[in-house]
Amino acid sequence: MAEYLIKNGHVFDPILGIKGEVHNIAIRDGKFVEPSALTSSAKTIDASGKTVMAGGVDIHSHVVGPKVNVGRLFRPEDKLFKSPLRQPKNARMEMGFSVPSTFKTGYDYSRMGYCFVNEAAMPPLHSPHVHEEIRDTPLIDNTAMPVLGNNWFMLEYLKNGEIENNAAYTAWLLHATKGFAIKVVNPGGTEAWGWGLNCVTINDPVPHFNITPAEIIKGLIETNEYLRLPHSIHLHGNNIGNPGNYTDTIDTLKLAEGYSPNCDFGRDQVIHNTHLQFHSYGGDSWLNFESKAKEIMEYVNRQKNLTFDLGVVTLDETTTMTADGPFEHHLQSLNHLKWANVDVELETAAGIVPYVYGKDVKVCNIQWAIGLELALFCNDPMRSHITTDHPNAGPFIRYPRIIKWLMSKASRDELLHSFKWSEKVIGATNIESIDREMSLYEIAMMTRAGTAKALGLSHMYGSFTEGLAGNVAIYDLDPENMPSDPEMIEKAFGRAAYTLKDGVIVVKDGDIVGDTPKSTIWVNVKVPENKQVARDVSEKFLRYYSVNKDNYSLFEEHLHNPKVIEVDITA
Amino acid sequence: MDTVTVTLVNKPELIIEAYNITPDAFAGKSLEEIGNLECHEGNHKTALKEFFTITGKAGATAESTKIIVKGDCTRVKRIGQKMSAGEIVIEGNADMYTGGWMLGGKLHVTGNVDAFCGIQMEGGEFIIDGNADNHLGSSYRGDWRGMRGGLIRVGGNAGSDVGTFMIGGTIIIEGNAGIHIATHAEGGTIIVKGNAMSRVGGQMVKGDVYIFGTIDVMMPGFRYIGDVEKEVDGKSATFAHYIGDLGERHPTRKGEVIYGNLYQKI
């Protein structure tokens, strides 16, 4: 395997505290090593005058699985005039914009210098589909989080306060689906949707199960820390996307008070609140809709056991898709476009609706501002991560644009003042008064170091520490001579000068030039034997599931290139 | 106005995607440059000169360029796609997507066209002397934004799915039309001088449909509200006026609910 010495680049590594100083980075056998460990056959990459960061780590993106695929199928127009014809250098055809094909997904992430993506929602019953698509998505390592916030087993165990049983079930489910972490979507509300209802606050009881979202969230935090999982619970809370929901969000976040992480993977949080932008709304209707990013961040900045990602609205035409079934129905009744809805037996549901975030729509502009405000008000970028909740608030290929907005007040102001209703937008947000411009060091926190840490994967990704995967992104940006035109920032982050994945050059000058195997990472927790849970699982499969228990678990052939993280709580 | 004549001489083995035969692409170019414009034969990228001889002279702008297409273009797709100005005359037949996403100018086909012609048209004039196949002036598959403006006139018959998701503009069919006229329409006008089959105006929110002949099966979501005298395409006649589709949502303007209108000549 080739050895590389990346010379003279300006290195940004928040884990090692390197803030743009010139350093040499050495890779051997696909891992970072000391430069002295290289042999004379090492090849040199000249990175002088360029920015060098560890490969990007995305904490929340919907890139694989049945929901994404339904999006691809029911939006042929998403591919129209937006699918580049096959480039001779690329291995495969690329298609689509907001729901790109698997190959385009892998290539686009790689072009942006990303090497890892956490799939945000895996319906447990459909885990084979998720893993088969992971196999077909090149150049990025993946994890996938099974959706647990409305699962019947969990609802019953937590109703009875049986954390150990719930943990044993969760460990079984992670093993059966080759999952990575506990994803919670609209806890209780998606199950209530089966009755045509919803849980709007954390105290609305779930019909039939008679448990509240607050009890579910607390129970799942306890389960997560009992299992000592690498990642915390990954929460999409109740009442997403509605004016005035910020109080529900703060109520939800307050549930983390008193809990502290219990694991060996170095994370500090017990709740990761995903796409916080959709949960930071004031006002009581779309007419007086306003930003409450400041109020949310005043709380989050104080609470050290929380992390979040942004979910920035990028003002594009996109496709919304979430396990929050009732929300998608609500959205469809607002925009009257096509709507797909699926119920996944005892586990979860999903809805999909195309959405156009118009540049001249006041509400969309305010949403745009809120996403950026959250980042700009946050005093610890290690806990604040760049996402678009791809493809819900916009496609992931807009990350470079978000970086531009965060790094340049001029570019934010230019867009803000070009809005048709800019005065009203300014009145309903704080963005015009914020002067903060984020540094490359802070961007490295928000896109690799912080995300890897929050995922509990800082032993694999996010830094140049010796022994970590040799994932490198080299951007054509000179930190000592930053371009005066903010567009150049977007361009540099969109087309990496080099991307190395496991020590192989896969992108050069923004084009795909190489291929290397990718991995699926999952978590195997060894728990004490639990006969009660084993009996409950068998019984539920006999009585309710449409599949046999033996056909439910992922077969070996579906799992691609696995890397397992072993956790033993019996020791 | 300067005229370029494009003649198909080498019959292609597969279908040609001739998206560059537009006044916009030809304007300001020499004959050699026009011959080198890209086209696709199947998935193979090639150039117009491989199939066509090109004579005449292109104007400096799209407005001042006229293109005459000769030869059997039954298997040439996408002529006039996204054209914004100028004029194209196709002497004979043309394949799918002719005049698709057209923004302006004039496109005249003296023969027949295949399916998906004039889809998502925004402006200009598109005249077909012969017949048009399915999805005339319709939306692209999956898209909810259909024809927005301009005029399509068909001398013969049209296939099914005329004007799906239509928002604006006018489609006039001198002959008969197939099933599914103005499905999901939210505006625009469709005039059928001959007969229509079934499912006229299904899920229609707004817009006007005129049928001069018979309708095989009326949609149950339409309600008769009276007879009206109307002048349509220069002819006056009495029509039975139906509103619908009552199963669909309808916007309100000044307290009045807006329906789709279906007029059938008595």
Side-chain angles (χ1 to χ4, degrees), chain A residues 150-156 191 209 345-346 540 544:
Chain A
N150 294 280
N151 180 299
W152 288 11
F153 293 90
M154 181 278 298
L155 293 171
E156 285 174 6
E191 180 55 35
F209 291 95
E345 301 192 9
L346 290 67
K540 279 257 193 318
Y544 298 121

Side-chain angles (χ1 to χ4, degrees), chain A residues 340-545:
Chain A
N341 181 69
V342 184
D343 177 53
V344 185
E345 301 192 9
L346 290 67
E347 298 176 342
T348 177
I352 307 161
V353 175
Y355 203 83
V356 184
Y357 291 100
K359 282 204 169 62
D360 290 326
V361 180
K362 188 188 81 173
V363 168
C364 301
N365 299 157
I366 296 171
Q367 290 178 306
W368 165 81
I370 294 171
L372 299 177
E373 285 175 7
L374 291 168
L376 297 166
F377 281 133
C378 181
N379 57 21
D380 180 7
M382 283 296 278
R383 300 201 283 131
S384 145
H385 309 139
I386 291 177
T387 68
T388 59
D389 186 20
H390 167 81
N392 286 302
F396 68 82
I397 50 170
R398 295 296 188 225
Y399 290 180
R401 194 166 288 179
I402 296 169
I403 293 171
K404 172 187 78 180
W405 287 326
L406 292 177
M407 290 185 71
S408 160
K409 178 168 170 59
S411 75
R412 294 197 295 268
D413 283 350
E414 192 193 332
L415 182 59
L416 181 63
H417 293 293
S418 74
F419 293 147
K420 188 175 173 188
W421 309 106
S422 63
E423 287 308 313
K424 287 185 174 175
V425 175
I426 291 165
T429 60
N430 313 293
I431 191 138
E432 205 203 19
S433 62
I434 306 174
D435 293 327
R436 184 176 181 184
E437 295 189 329
M438 306 200 82
S439 66
L440 287 167
Y441 189 67
E442 289 172 317
I443 295 298
M445 292 179 177
M446 298 177 76
T447 53
R448 44 267 287 160
T451 46
K453 184 182 177 189
L455 284 163
L457 291 175
S458 50
H459 61 297
M460 298 173 83
Y461 304 113
S463 157
F464 294 112
T465 310
E466 223 179 299
L468 266 57
N471 299 339
V472 185
I474 305 176
Y475 299 113
D476 201 357
L477 268 184
D478 187 347
E480 288 179 350
N481 184 21
M482 284 296 276
S484 54
D485 179 7
E487 297 307 316
M488 299 305 286
I489 299 174
E490 179 178 343
K491 194 168 167 241
F493 278 100
R495 290 175 68 80
Y498 284 92
T499 304
L500 282 85
K501 161 102 174 65
D502 294 322
V504 175
I505 298 179
V506 292
V507 170
K508 190 164 185 289
D509 299 329
D511 289 324
I512 304 292
V513 294
D515 196 7
T516 186
K518 53 91 57 92
S519 314
T520 312
I521 294 130
W522 66 284
V523 177
N524 189 26
V525 195
K526 191 173 175 205
V527 291
E529 191 189 357
N530 190 322
K531 287 189 174 153
Q532 157 101 47
V533 170
R535 196 191 67 86
D536 289 347
V537 170
S538 298
E539 196 228 314
K540 279 257 193 318
F541 270 91
L542 280 175
R543 288 188 63 178
Y544 298 121
Y545 265 101

Side-chain angles (χ1 to χ4, degrees), chain A residues 244-253 273 275-282 290-303 306 308-309 370 373-374 377-378 383 430:
Chain A
N245 65 4
Y246 82 106
T247 52
D248 300 308
T249 306
I250 291 176
D251 288 345
T252 304
L253 294 173
N273 195 310
H275 41 71
L276 193 56
Q277 177 271 130
F278 286 121
H279 303 268
S280 306
Y281 297 162
E290 59 176 348
S291 167
K292 287 290 178 189
K294 196 172 188 177
E295 288 73 4
I296 292 276
M297 287 318 298
E298 268 168 17
Y299 181 78
V300 174
N301 278 333
R302 282 204 309 273
Q303 291 307 116
L306 299 173
F308 67 97
D309 61 77
I370 294 171
E373 285 175 7
L374 291 168
F377 281 133
C378 181
R383 300 201 283 131
N430 313 293

Side-chain angles (χ1 to χ4, degrees), chain A residues 74-78 80-81 85-86 317-318 335-338 354-356, chain B residues 19 38 40 43 45 78 81-82 101 120 140-145 186 249:
Chain A
F74 102 145
R75 290 212 62 196
E77 77 281 8
D78 188 56
L80 182 70
F81 303 131
L85 296 166
R86 181 148 81 180
E317 177 187 322
T318 191
N335 75 359
H336 310 302
L337 301 185
K338 49 194 168 181
Y355 203 83
V356 184
Chain B
Y19 40 83
E38 190 181 274
H40 272 74
N43 65 359
K45 195 193 280 187
R78 298 183 192 269
Q81 175 171 300
K82 293 187 181 176
W101 299 276
Q120 293 188 310
Y140 184 72
R141 287 167 210 247
D143 210 324
W144 58 89
R145 292 153 293 200
E186 290 207 32
R249 78 189 155 82

Side-chain angles (χ1 to χ4, degrees), chain A residues 58 92-93 102 117 147 189 191 214 237 252 267 270 304 321 325-326 330 355 399 401 422 503 529 567:
Chain A
D58 193 343
R92 300 293 290 254
M93 180 83 188
T102 55
V117 177
V147 182
E191 180 55 35
T252 304
R267 69 175 151 88
V270 295
K304 301 300 175 200
M321 50 178 66
H330 172 66
Y355 203 83
Y399 290 180
R401 194 166 288 179
S422 63
E529 191 189 357
V567 180

